[in-house]
Amino acid sequence: MDLAKNKRPSPQEESEPLFPSLYNFFSAITALTLFTGRYFKSVLLPPFEFNELVRQSFLIGYKSFPLVGITGFIMGLVLTIQSRPTLAEFGAESWLPAMVAVSIIREIGPVITALICAGKVGSGIGAELASMRVTEQIDAMEVSGINPFKYIVVTRILACTLMLPILVVFSDVIALLGSFLAVNINGDVTFTLYFSQVIDSLAFSDVFPAFVKTFFFGFAIGLIGCFKGYYTDKGTEGVGLAANSAVVLSSLLIFIMDMIAVQITDLLY
Amino acid sequence: MDKNSSNSNVIEKPGKDEPALQIVNIHKSFKHNSILKGLNITLGRGENLVVLGKSGTGKSVTIKCIVGLIIPDEGNITVLGKNILRLKDKELNELRKKIGFLFQSAALYDSMTVRENLNFPLRTNKSLSEDEKEELVREALENVGLLDAIDKMPSELSGGMRKRVGLARTLILKPQIMLYDEPTNGLDPITSKEIGNLINDVKEKYHTSSIIITHDIACAKIIADRIIVLKDGVCLTEGTYEELENSDNLEVRAYFE
Ligand SMILES: Nc1ncnc2c1ncn2[C@@H]1O[C@H](COP(=O)(O)OP(=O)(O)O)[C@@H](O)[C@H]1O
Ligand SMILES: [Mg+2]
């Protein structure tokens, strides 16, 4: 029974690790890093699955507009109504448009939209890929000579990365409209006046970093959804697990990335 | 359907009397769970080889090794004269196009229609025009008697229809070797028999060499040129249907009762 050969499990797998959960954590990090590396390698090398990319962008981006629009609208409306009393206390009610605009553009728009998409898109990708794995569709692609990583994973991650910024911009605009409506509940402000106040209050350093980080948020949603779905191994039960952990992990990652982005922006401006 | 007559045209290409596929002494374990322990299988050209064995003996693992979905820990696999464990990705993909694999669950792509499913293996083939591809798709569906399902989604198909569409999808590349993983699993006896006949038709029409994993002894009777029985990761015995049916080994005979 001499099995000492190439594909033999590594020594770590043979003996029980000292701290199993710590070990699992680091092996998951390693696997995710390798997965990310494979993505960047595949995304740059032909053949490119352009049609599938367009189809995924449609499914991921276009189909999320209603949800993102509604949440954006409510966000702007509620934020304005909630902030009014505090500003009124200081007699600074005229600052309302500026304050709301800055908080929506810099922080709330990107983060809330990304979290909504993590819930809608991330879980969808996780479940879809997991069920493709369980029903052997991924294996079937591979044996018919087509690279499933390129066709399934790369297109989805890329579509998420490209679509999330568009969704965030859309959500920001709708949120500002909601805010305009809320300002008008108590006083009369014209549309032009409101938006000139908003635009005056926004500097390049507000808009640009906020826009850049949305690409990373989109990437994180696609990456985690695909990672969890692609490597599921618990049969049908794994489908639910993959969807669930895709949402949890990508939401967490969005907050962590946001924190890092804030630190970097602080240093730069 | 007469086994002797089909044996007479075993050699499809003169001068190539090597086996279509040869598995030599493969071992595979998952974690501490040792599944294959030195398995040998030889598949002759134009032969229908049925593999019997209890659930979990590693039948699916074996045929997944053949197409490189699972890498064995030890041993050699030669397919159409090439050692598949030594191939580069590109060569492996070329070889895979000569092997048809019918998955246990048929593995149809849920998000695509039947037509798109069948078109999928052809998508990298630049030498075919759209019309020629459509022609191939129709031909493949006609072969399995499902031409009118061409615009349906997989979710609208019954179990037997899914298996047949899966078969059509693998046949579209005109493979030289077919691997069937429990093709009649979960089907009624009549549909099973139809699938059995279909497997024989495929062999006649495309001169394929096939490995068929099945528990369905009625189906095995129709299609088998030779049967092997797996147990504990090795080959327990082999022979024709008649030989194994009258075997002294009770364990082997149990499959035929
Ligand atoms: N990818 C895998 N990882 C871990 N264990 C596996 C894997 N594939 C198969 N196994 C195990 O190998 C054994 C044999 O599986 P399989 O070949 O599917 O059996 P069957 O003979 O019924 O087709 C099972 O116990 C299964 O749990
Ligand atoms: Mg099996």
Side-chain angles (χ1 to χ4, degrees), chain B residues 30 33 35 54-61:
Chain B
F30 296 105
N33 191 2
I35 305 290
K54 280 194 217 148
S55 281
T57 36
K59 304 184 297 296
S60 300
V61 169

Side-chain angles (χ1 to χ4, degrees), chain A residues 196-208:
Chain A
S196 70
Q197 270 181 312
V198 165
I199 290 171
D200 282 346
S201 66
L202 291 174
F204 177 77
S205 60
D206 294 321
V207 179
F208 184 70

Side-chain angles (χ1 to χ4, degrees), chain A residues 1-9 13-16 49 52 55 128 131-132 134-147 151 156, chain B residues 27 29 31-32 34 64 67 69 71-75 93 96-97 99 101 103-112 120-121 123-124 169 173 181:
Chain A
M1 282 288 286
D2 174 26
L3 290 178
K5 259 281 167 85
N6 45 355
K7 294 284 170 181
R8 192 117 164 90
E13 278 175 8
E14 293 281 283
S15 55
E16 282 298 310
E49 303 285 356
E52 181 65 7
R55 200 176 77 90
E128 190 187 7
S131 71
M132 289 181 88
V134 171
T135 57
E136 300 175 313
Q137 292 175 48
I138 294 181
D139 288 342
M141 267 184 204
E142 188 150 7
V143 298
S144 65
I146 285 146
N147 183 342
Y151 187 80
R156 280 174 176 76
Chain B
H27 292 250
S29 29
K31 295 272 163 63
H32 300 287
S34 176
K64 281 181 181 166
V67 288
L69 283 175
I71 311 290
D73 301 329
E74 192 183 331
N93 275 343
R96 276 170 170 170
K97 289 181 187 168
I99 310 174
F101 197 122
F103 285 88
Q104 210 161 333
S105 56
L108 300 184
Y109 307 129
D110 291 331
S111 58
M112 304 180 197
F120 197 80
R123 60 201 305 285
T124 51
R169 189 180 65 187
L173 292 174
D181 197 347

Side-chain angles (χ1 to χ4, degrees), chain B residues 214-251:
Chain B
T214 187
H215 300 293
D216 183 349
I217 208 69
C219 179
K221 188 169 183 173
I222 307 178
I223 57 185
D225 294 324
R226 189 159 60 96
I227 299 181
I228 67 172
V229 182
L230 295 194
K231 184 173 185 262
D232 295 333
V234 291
C235 176
L236 181 65
T237 178
E238 66 169 275
T240 63
Y241 184 89
E242 289 75 21
E243 282 166 12
L244 295 196
E245 195 179 21
N246 304 315
S247 161
D248 301 334
N249 192 329
L250 287 178
E251 235 174 313

Side-chain angles (χ1 to χ4, degrees), chain B residues 206-221:
Chain B
Y206 298 100
H207 307 292
T208 48
S209 330
S210 315
I211 295 183
I212 304 110
I213 294 174
T214 187
H215 300 293
D216 183 349
I217 208 69
C219 179
K221 188 169 183 173

